Amino acid sequence: MSRVGRAPVAIPAGVTVEVKDNLMTVKGPKGTLTQDIDSKITVSVEAGHATLSRADDSKELRAKHGLYRALLQNMVNGVTAGYTLSLIHISEPTRH
């Protein structure tokens, strides 16, 4: 299995993950996100974690396995934390 794809995605309280007709839907306090997924990738949600599995070990499906897991993680982050932009303050050099 893919190293990225086999890692479970933690689902915090207040977030729901549903898969119906190859459409993954994540609902949370900051909104709802949806993503089409390949029919050969299955998502199972149990005990506060979501795991993805694939039908076979083809090169294309191995790549999609990790991709959809990363997309799911980003969707969960998006509906809980939302978009944040952290700025780094760089001070001006002192002149003598």
Side-chain angles (χ1 to χ4, degrees):
M1 288 180 80
S2 162
R3 280 184 258 168
V4 173
R6 70 178 165 210
V9 176
I11 302 172
V15 176
T16 60
V17 176
E18 298 174 352
V19 179
K20 184 177 180 182
D21 298 328
N22 299 332
L23 185 69
M24 184 167 48
T25 305
V26 180
K27 295 179 185 176
K30 300 248 183 201
T32 302
L33 296 171
T34 59
Q35 174 66 47
D36 289 326
I37 61 172
D38 193 309
S39 62
K40 294 180 181 179
I41 300 288
T42 57
V43 180
S44 61
V45 180
E46 49 192 45
H49 285 68
T51 54
L52 285 80
S53 57
R54 60 181 186 257
D56 59 53
D57 283 334
S58 67
K59 186 174 183 178
E60 178 184 359
L61 209 52
R62 285 193 317 246
K64 286 182 180 180
H65 187 206
L67 169 70
Y68 290 129
R69 189 265 175 208
L71 288 173
L72 177 58
Q73 178 68 55
N74 290 338
M75 291 167 69
V76 168
N77 289 342
V79 298
T80 55
Y83 177 77
T84 59
L85 178 65
S86 59
L87 300 175
I88 300 172
H89 177 70
I90 300 174
S91 62
E92 293 286 327
T94 58
R95 297 185 183 169
H96 299 285

